[in-house]
Amino acid sequence: MAEIVRTRFAPSPTGYLHVGGARTALFNYLLARRLGGRFILRIEDTDQTRNIEAADAKLMEDLRWLGLTWDEGPEVEGPYGPYHQSQRRALYDEHARRLLDAGLAYYAMETREELEALRRAAVQRGDKGYRYARPTRFPSESEARAARDAGRPVVIRFKMPERDFVVPDRILGEVTIRAAELSDFVLMKADGWPTYHFAVVVDDAAMKITHVLRGQEHLMNTPNHIALFEAFGAPVPQFAHLPIIFNMNGTKMSKREKDKVVRDAARAAGLADERLGALAGLHDAELVRAWRAEQTQLPGDALARLARALHVTVPEIEIHDFRRSGYLPEVLVNFIALLGWNPGTPQERFTLDELCAAFSLERVGKTNAKFDREKLLAFNTAALAAAEPARKLAAFRDWLAVNERGPLTELDDATRAHLIELCRGFRTFADIELKCGALFVPDQAIEYDEKAVKQHLLKGAGQGVAVLRELRPRLAALSDWTAAALDVAVRAFADERQLGLGKVAQPLRVAVTGTTISPQISDTLALLGRERTLARIDRALTHAAASTREAV
RNA sequence: GCCCCCAUCGUCUAGAGGCCUAGGACACCGGCUUUUCAAGCCGGCGACACGGGUUCGAAUCCCGUUGGGGGCGCCA
């Protein structure tokens, strides 16, 4: 009678889903799927000061985008709901009462200042590592009530058994934590909410969680949790502490980093707060000032606007960032799975289903990993190259939907699919906009990259300009404006003039897009249409003439 | 400071005493292809942190050093 495996992902709603969180969620999901168990989502919203509006919805959207669907949780009824801890308070109260009555917990009413003084005194005494010392006498119910009425902060602490604890970890092996490292931790905060340690264990026990996979930063908490499971007479789940994911430079992948990059750029640009606020679309001058002083973070959309204005790329930290940058969810899943886990075979490309079939805790490593965006990009490129057209179209549509309006926003599906084909070899969906965006913008809106103009139009006594002048009437007279016909025409012209194709295609490209980046020239012109092509050539010739005059 | 975890190419990793002249992937470098940007193809560079043991034999086991990471909250 094998016990049914139940794993859970228990994020606190402080924003979008983070890469590290996604990895934890993924491994829990994979383990449940592999073992025929259930994957539970629980929202840990017990900190009244940290919860962010609608963050749980964002978290869920990101999980769903990745394909990590839960069997029980918010929006998916299960037998142990509700799945927001804020809605389970009666359960915590009840458990606290039980521990109090059993003499396993007690009231404590030190203020923060008193606690701090105790700590300082211990340090001065030369104690190694201060721990809260259990009082010799515990306050009674009435004393606790009186203290609370008098405005003192009253908490409930757990009487931590005074013994060594061995954490049997499925990844790390047996880790022993000495009694001296442990202390009577807080169960219920003065505001009446449970602490993380308490709520986690109450819920894991209530929800019959069998395997707890979480980040290694939780390892030292585990004795507390084991002691609580034991106090409740509940079975202790299996633990597996996952290595941590870092940035390439070894720093933590923190949301703050996004602000840092943009802030540095803002400083380098030397812009005033007022101007920064305008660029970010913010009216709150105080917010901008605080942000510049590294005292706060900017809302995501404001940060994105500012980054765009300053021409910097905000590093992707949260799953949503990667979505906006044009990555495929299945690629993210594949890549993240390989951060800490490997199949033991040379296979590197996995679908979610394949991961479900191959996953095992035995093959999870112990060493921290750095998140290499270059490798992720390579994975995305390969996946895109191999994906079915329908898949690419759907993903492209999703990318357009999560980004601000751009030149490609309004296109119909047929055109979108066409662009995807023309851009074969692209790395992210953002590349399609980079490469084709100029073709869907008013003629007046295209800006010339002066380096490109010089290189391909003006250089060699205006060789490029000459090509354009000669080519223009031919294009105007072309009977058939299709990619095939244009290809023939352009090649014929190049042949005739004994020019390499590049000498013809590049001037055209610059004339028509302002840059050297676009699809193959015949496709580019076909997409643009005869009229706009000719109009843009004229506009470019005018621009080139002006540039030449300036240079003189 | 105290406690805990970890240690193979720049990065992710394979490796559970002889199969290792240490394998793969990404990056990098060189070349090919080329109508730009990408993509693609071929080749190359590149690691067992250090010091002691154990053993006929050590990347693999033990100890120490060093380095990296995490924890020491009424945050989660």
Coordinates of all heavy atoms in Angstrom, one line a residue, chain A residues 392-453:
Chain A
K392 N 4.9 28.0 -33.2 CA 5.6 29.3 -33.3 C 4.6 30.4 -33.4 O 4.7 31.5 -32.8 CB 6.5 29.3 -34.5 CG 7.8 28.5 -34.3 CD 8.8 28.6 -35.4 CE 8.4 27.7 -36.6 NZ 9.5 27.5 -37.5
L393 N 3.5 30.2 -34.2 CA 2.5 31.3 -34.3 C 1.9 31.6 -33.0 O 1.7 32.7 -32.6 CB 1.5 30.8 -35.3 CG 0.8 31.8 -36.3 CD1 -0.6 31.4 -36.6 CD2 0.8 33.3 -35.7
A394 N 1.5 30.5 -32.3 CA 0.8 30.7 -31.0 C 1.7 31.4 -30.0 O 1.3 32.3 -29.3 CB 0.4 29.3 -30.5
A395 N 3.0 31.1 -30.0 CA 3.9 31.7 -29.1 C 4.2 33.1 -29.5 O 4.3 34.0 -28.6 CB 5.2 30.9 -29.1
F396 N 4.2 33.4 -30.8 CA 4.4 34.7 -31.3 C 3.3 35.6 -30.9 O 3.4 36.7 -30.4 CB 4.6 34.7 -32.8 CG 5.0 36.0 -33.4 CD1 5.8 36.9 -32.7 CD2 4.6 36.4 -34.7 CE1 6.2 38.1 -33.3 CE2 4.9 37.6 -35.3 CZ 5.7 38.5 -34.6
R397 N 2.1 35.1 -31.0 CA 0.9 35.8 -30.6 C 0.9 36.1 -29.1 O 0.6 37.2 -28.6 CB -0.3 34.9 -30.8 CG -1.5 35.6 -31.6 CD -2.7 34.7 -31.6 NE -2.7 33.9 -32.9 CZ -3.0 32.6 -32.9 NH1 -3.1 31.9 -31.9 NH2 -3.0 32.0 -34.1
D398 N 1.4 35.2 -28.3 CA 1.5 35.4 -26.9 C 2.5 36.5 -26.6 O 2.3 37.3 -25.7 CB 1.9 34.1 -26.2 CG 2.1 34.2 -24.7 OD1 1.1 34.4 -24.0 OD2 3.3 34.2 -24.2
W399 N 3.6 36.4 -27.3 CA 4.6 37.4 -27.1 C 4.1 38.8 -27.4 O 4.3 39.8 -26.6 CB 5.8 37.2 -28.0 CG 6.9 38.2 -27.9 CD1 7.8 38.3 -26.8 CD2 7.2 39.3 -28.7 NE1 8.7 39.4 -27.0 CE2 8.3 40.0 -28.2 CE3 6.6 39.8 -29.9 CZ2 8.8 41.1 -28.8 CZ3 7.2 40.9 -30.5 CH2 8.2 41.6 -29.9
L400 N 3.4 39.0 -28.5 CA 2.8 40.3 -28.8 C 1.8 40.7 -27.7 O 1.8 41.9 -27.4 CB 2.1 40.2 -30.2 CG 3.0 40.0 -31.4 CD1 2.2 39.6 -32.6 CD2 3.7 41.3 -31.7
A401 N 1.1 39.8 -27.2 CA 0.1 40.1 -26.2 C 0.7 40.6 -24.9 O 0.1 41.5 -24.2 CB -0.8 38.9 -25.9
V402 N 1.8 40.1 -24.5 CA 2.4 40.6 -23.2 C 3.3 41.8 -23.4 O 3.9 42.2 -22.4 CB 3.1 39.4 -22.5 CG1 2.2 38.3 -22.1 CG2 4.3 38.9 -23.3
N403 N 3.5 42.2 -24.6 CA 4.4 43.4 -24.8 C 3.5 44.6 -25.1 O 2.4 44.5 -25.6 CB 5.4 43.1 -25.9 CG 6.6 42.4 -25.3 OD1 7.5 43.0 -24.7 ND2 6.7 41.1 -25.6
E404 N 4.1 45.8 -24.9 CA 3.4 47.0 -25.3 C 3.3 47.0 -26.8 O 4.0 46.4 -27.5 CB 4.3 48.2 -24.8 CG 4.2 48.4 -23.3 CD 5.0 49.6 -22.9 OE1 5.0 50.6 -23.6 OE2 5.6 49.5 -21.8
R405 N 2.3 47.8 -27.2 CA 2.0 47.9 -28.7 C 3.3 48.2 -29.4 O 4.1 49.0 -29.0 CB 1.1 49.1 -28.9 CG -0.2 49.1 -28.3 CD -1.0 50.3 -28.8 NE -0.9 50.4 -30.3 CZ -1.7 49.7 -31.0 NH1 -2.6 48.9 -30.5 NH2 -1.6 49.8 -32.4
G406 N 3.5 47.5 -30.5 CA 4.6 47.7 -31.4 C 4.1 47.7 -32.8 O 2.9 47.5 -33.0
P407 N 5.1 47.8 -33.7 CA 4.7 47.8 -35.2 C 4.0 46.5 -35.6 O 3.2 46.6 -36.6 CB 6.0 48.1 -35.9 CG 7.1 47.8 -34.9 CD 6.5 48.1 -33.5
L408 N 4.2 45.5 -34.9 CA 3.7 44.2 -35.4 C 2.4 43.8 -34.7 O 1.8 42.7 -35.0 CB 4.7 43.1 -35.2 CG 6.1 43.3 -35.7 CD1 7.0 42.1 -35.5 CD2 6.0 43.7 -37.2
T409 N 1.9 44.6 -33.7 CA 0.8 44.3 -32.9 C -0.5 43.9 -33.7 O -1.2 43.0 -33.4 CB 0.5 45.4 -31.9 OG1 1.7 45.7 -31.2 CG2 -0.6 45.0 -30.9
E410 N -0.7 44.7 -34.7 CA -2.0 44.6 -35.4 C -2.0 43.6 -36.6 O -3.0 43.4 -37.2 CB -2.4 45.9 -36.0 CG -2.5 47.0 -34.9 CD -3.6 46.7 -33.9 OE1 -4.5 45.9 -34.2 OE2 -3.5 47.2 -32.8
L411 N -0.9 42.9 -36.8 CA -0.9 42.1 -38.0 C -1.8 40.9 -37.9 O -2.1 40.4 -36.8 CB 0.5 41.5 -38.2 CG 1.6 42.5 -38.3 CD1 3.0 41.9 -38.6 CD2 1.3 43.5 -39.5
D412 N -2.3 40.4 -39.1 CA -3.1 39.2 -39.1 C -2.2 38.0 -39.0 O -1.0 38.1 -39.2 CB -4.0 39.2 -40.4 CG -3.1 39.3 -41.6 OD1 -2.6 38.2 -42.0 OD2 -3.0 40.4 -42.1
D413 N -2.9 36.9 -38.7 CA -2.1 35.6 -38.5 C -1.3 35.2 -39.7 O -0.2 34.7 -39.6 CB -3.0 34.5 -38.1 CG -3.3 34.6 -36.6 OD1 -2.7 35.4 -35.9 OD2 -4.1 33.8 -36.1
A414 N -1.9 35.4 -40.9 CA -1.1 35.0 -42.1 C 0.2 35.8 -42.2 O 1.2 35.2 -42.5 CB -2.0 35.2 -43.3
T415 N 0.1 37.1 -42.0 CA 1.3 37.9 -42.0 C 2.3 37.5 -41.0 O 3.5 37.4 -41.2 CB 1.0 39.4 -41.9 OG1 -0.1 39.7 -42.9 CG2 2.2 40.2 -42.2
R416 N 1.8 37.2 -39.8 CA 2.6 36.8 -38.7 C 3.4 35.5 -39.0 O 4.6 35.4 -38.8 CB 1.8 36.6 -37.4 CG 1.3 37.8 -36.8 CD 0.3 37.5 -35.7 NE -0.1 38.7 -34.9 CZ -1.2 38.7 -34.1 NH1 -1.8 37.6 -33.9 NH2 -1.5 39.8 -33.5
A417 N 2.6 34.6 -39.5 CA 3.2 33.3 -39.9 C 4.3 33.5 -41.0 O 5.4 32.9 -41.0 CB 2.2 32.4 -40.4
H418 N 4.0 34.4 -41.9 CA 4.9 34.7 -43.0 C 6.2 35.3 -42.4 O 7.3 34.9 -42.8 CB 4.3 35.7 -44.0 CG 5.1 36.0 -45.2 ND1 5.6 35.0 -46.0 CD2 5.4 37.2 -45.8 CE1 6.3 35.6 -47.0 NE2 6.2 36.9 -46.9
L419 N 6.1 36.2 -41.5 CA 7.3 36.8 -40.9 C 8.1 35.8 -40.2 O 9.4 35.8 -40.3 CB 6.9 37.9 -39.9 CG 6.2 39.2 -40.5 CD1 6.1 40.3 -39.4 CD2 7.0 39.7 -41.7
I420 N 7.5 34.9 -39.5 CA 8.2 33.9 -38.8 C 9.0 33.0 -39.8 O 10.2 32.7 -39.5 CB 7.2 32.9 -38.0 CG1 6.6 33.7 -36.9 CG2 7.9 31.7 -37.5 CD1 5.4 32.9 -36.2
E421 N 8.4 32.8 -40.9 CA 9.2 32.0 -42.0 C 10.3 32.8 -42.5 O 11.5 32.3 -42.6 CB 8.2 31.7 -43.1 CG 7.5 30.4 -43.0 CD 8.5 29.3 -42.5 OE1 9.4 28.9 -43.3 OE2 8.3 28.8 -41.4
L422 N 10.1 34.1 -42.8 CA 11.2 34.9 -43.3 C 12.3 35.1 -42.3 O 13.5 35.4 -42.8 CB 10.6 36.3 -43.7 CG 9.6 36.3 -44.8 CD1 9.3 37.8 -45.2 CD2 10.2 35.6 -46.1
C423 N 12.0 35.0 -41.1 CA 13.1 35.3 -40.1 C 13.7 34.0 -39.6 O 14.4 34.0 -38.5 CB 12.5 36.0 -38.9 SG 12.0 37.7 -39.3
R424 N 13.6 33.0 -40.3 CA 14.2 31.7 -39.9 C 15.6 31.9 -39.4 O 16.4 32.6 -40.0 CB 14.2 30.7 -41.1 CG 14.2 29.3 -40.8 CD 14.2 28.4 -42.0 NE 12.9 28.5 -42.7 CZ 12.8 28.9 -44.0 NH1 13.9 29.4 -44.6 NH2 11.7 29.0 -44.6
G425 N 15.8 31.2 -38.2 CA 17.1 31.4 -37.6 C 17.1 32.4 -36.5 O 18.0 32.7 -35.8
F426 N 15.9 33.0 -36.3 CA 15.7 34.0 -35.2 C 15.9 33.3 -33.8 O 15.6 32.1 -33.7 CB 14.4 34.8 -35.3 CG 13.2 34.0 -35.0 CD1 12.5 34.2 -33.9 CD2 12.7 33.0 -35.9 CE1 11.3 33.4 -33.6 CE2 11.6 32.3 -35.7 CZ 10.9 32.5 -34.5
R427 N 16.2 34.1 -32.8 CA 16.6 33.6 -31.5 C 15.5 33.8 -30.5 O 15.2 32.9 -29.6 CB 17.9 34.2 -31.0 CG 19.0 34.3 -32.1 CD 20.3 34.3 -31.5 NE 20.7 33.0 -30.9 CZ 21.8 32.8 -30.3 NH1 22.7 33.7 -30.0 NH2 22.0 31.6 -29.8
T428 N 14.8 34.9 -30.6 CA 13.7 35.2 -29.7 C 12.7 35.9 -30.6 O 13.0 36.4 -31.6 CB 14.0 36.0 -28.5 OG1 14.3 37.4 -28.9 CG2 15.1 35.5 -27.7
F429 N 11.4 36.0 -30.1 CA 10.4 36.7 -30.9 C 10.8 38.2 -31.0 O 10.3 38.9 -32.0 CB 9.0 36.5 -30.3 CG 8.5 35.1 -30.5 CD1 8.4 34.2 -29.4 CD2 8.2 34.7 -31.8 CE1 8.0 32.9 -29.7 CE2 7.8 33.4 -32.0 CZ 7.7 32.5 -31.0
A430 N 11.5 38.7 -30.1 CA 11.9 40.1 -30.2 C 12.8 40.3 -31.4 O 12.7 41.4 -32.0 CB 12.7 40.5 -28.9
D431 N 13.4 39.3 -31.9 CA 14.2 39.4 -33.1 C 13.4 39.7 -34.3 O 13.8 40.4 -35.3 CB 15.0 38.1 -33.4 CG 16.2 38.0 -32.4 OD1 16.5 38.9 -31.7 OD2 16.7 36.9 -32.3
I432 N 12.2 39.2 -34.3 CA 11.3 39.4 -35.5 C 10.9 40.9 -35.6 O 10.9 41.5 -36.6 CB 10.0 38.6 -35.4 CG1 10.4 37.1 -35.4 CG2 9.0 38.9 -36.5 CD1 9.2 36.1 -35.4
E433 N 10.7 41.5 -34.4 CA 10.3 42.9 -34.4 C 11.5 43.7 -34.9 O 11.4 44.7 -35.6 CB 9.9 43.4 -33.0 CG 9.4 44.8 -33.0 CD 8.8 45.3 -31.7 OE1 7.7 44.9 -31.4 OE2 9.5 46.0 -31.0
L434 N 12.7 43.3 -34.4 CA 13.9 44.0 -34.7 C 14.2 44.0 -36.2 O 14.6 45.0 -36.8 CB 15.1 43.3 -34.0 CG 16.5 43.9 -34.2 CD1 16.6 45.3 -33.5 CD2 17.6 43.0 -33.7
K435 N 13.9 42.8 -36.8 CA 14.2 42.6 -38.2 C 13.1 43.1 -39.1 O 13.4 43.6 -40.2 CB 14.3 41.1 -38.4 CG 15.1 40.7 -39.7 CD 15.5 39.3 -39.5 CE 16.3 38.8 -40.8 NZ 16.8 37.5 -40.6
C436 N 11.8 43.1 -38.7 CA 10.7 43.4 -39.6 C 10.0 44.7 -39.2 O 9.1 45.1 -39.9 CB 9.8 42.3 -39.7 SG 10.6 40.7 -40.3
G437 N 10.2 45.1 -38.0 CA 9.4 46.2 -37.5 C 9.3 47.4 -38.4 O 8.3 48.0 -38.6
A438 N 10.4 47.8 -39.0 CA 10.5 49.0 -39.9 C 9.6 48.9 -41.1 O 9.2 49.9 -41.7 CB 11.9 49.2 -40.3
L439 N 9.2 47.6 -41.4 CA 8.3 47.5 -42.6 C 6.9 47.8 -42.3 O 6.1 47.8 -43.3 CB 8.5 46.0 -43.1 CG 9.9 45.6 -43.4 CD1 9.9 44.1 -43.9 CD2 10.5 46.5 -44.5
F440 N 6.6 47.9 -41.1 CA 5.2 48.2 -40.7 C 5.0 49.5 -40.0 O 4.1 49.6 -39.1 CB 4.7 47.0 -39.9 CG 4.7 45.7 -40.6 CD1 5.8 44.9 -40.5 CD2 3.7 45.3 -41.4 CE1 5.9 43.7 -41.2 CE2 3.8 44.1 -42.2 CZ 4.9 43.3 -42.1
V441 N 5.8 50.4 -40.3 CA 5.8 51.7 -39.7 C 5.6 52.7 -40.8 O 6.0 52.5 -42.0 CB 7.2 51.8 -38.9 CG1 8.0 52.9 -39.5 CG2 7.0 51.8 -37.4
P442 N 5.0 53.9 -40.5 CA 4.9 54.9 -41.6 C 6.2 55.3 -42.2 O 7.2 55.3 -41.4 CB 4.3 56.1 -40.9 CG 3.7 55.5 -39.6 CD 4.5 54.3 -39.2
D443 N 6.3 55.6 -43.4 CA 7.5 55.9 -44.1 C 8.3 57.0 -43.4 O 9.5 56.9 -43.2 CB 7.3 56.4 -45.5 CG 6.7 55.2 -46.4 OD1 6.7 54.1 -45.9 OD2 6.2 55.5 -47.5
Q444 N 7.6 58.0 -42.9 CA 8.2 59.1 -42.2 C 8.9 58.7 -40.9 O 9.7 59.4 -40.4 CB 7.2 60.2 -41.9 CG 6.5 60.8 -43.0 CD 5.4 59.8 -43.5 OE1 5.0 58.8 -42.7 NE2 4.8 60.0 -44.7
A445 N 8.4 57.5 -40.4 CA 8.9 57.2 -39.0 C 10.3 56.5 -39.1 O 10.9 56.3 -38.0 CB 7.9 56.3 -38.3
I446 N 10.7 56.1 -40.2 CA 12.0 55.3 -40.2 C 13.2 56.3 -40.0 O 13.2 57.4 -40.6 CB 12.2 54.4 -41.4 CG1 12.4 55.2 -42.7 CG2 11.0 53.5 -41.6 CD1 13.1 54.4 -43.8
E447 N 14.1 55.9 -39.2 CA 15.2 56.7 -38.9 C 16.4 56.0 -39.5 O 16.5 54.8 -39.5 CB 15.4 56.8 -37.4 CG 14.4 57.7 -36.7 CD 14.4 57.6 -35.2 OE1 15.4 57.1 -34.7 OE2 13.4 57.9 -34.6
Y448 N 17.3 56.9 -40.0 CA 18.5 56.3 -40.6 C 19.7 56.1 -39.7 O 20.0 57.0 -38.9 CB 18.9 57.3 -41.8 CG 17.9 57.4 -42.9 CD1 17.1 58.5 -42.9 CD2 17.7 56.4 -43.8 CE1 16.1 58.6 -43.9 CE2 16.8 56.5 -44.8 CZ 15.9 57.6 -44.8 OH 15.0 57.7 -45.8
D449 N 20.2 54.9 -39.8 CA 21.4 54.6 -39.0 C 22.6 55.2 -39.8 O 22.9 54.7 -40.9 CB 21.6 53.1 -38.9 CG 22.9 52.7 -38.4 OD1 23.8 53.6 -38.1 OD2 23.2 51.5 -38.2
E450 N 23.1 56.4 -39.3 CA 24.1 57.1 -40.1 C 25.3 56.3 -40.6 O 25.9 56.5 -41.6 CB 24.5 58.4 -39.4 CG 23.4 59.4 -39.3 CD 22.7 59.8 -40.6 OE1 23.4 59.7 -41.7 OE2 21.5 60.0 -40.6
K451 N 25.6 55.4 -39.7 CA 26.8 54.5 -40.0 C 26.5 53.7 -41.3 O 27.3 53.5 -42.2 CB 27.1 53.6 -38.9 CG 28.6 53.5 -38.6 CD 28.9 52.6 -37.4 CE 29.3 51.2 -37.9 NZ 29.3 50.2 -36.9
A452 N 25.3 53.2 -41.3 CA 24.8 52.4 -42.5 C 24.7 53.2 -43.7 O 25.1 52.8 -44.8 CB 23.5 51.7 -42.1
V453 N 24.2 54.5 -43.5 CA 24.1 55.4 -44.7 C 25.4 55.6 -45.3 O 25.6 55.6 -46.5 CB 23.4 56.7 -44.2 CG1 23.5 57.7 -45.4 CG2 22.0 56.4 -43.8

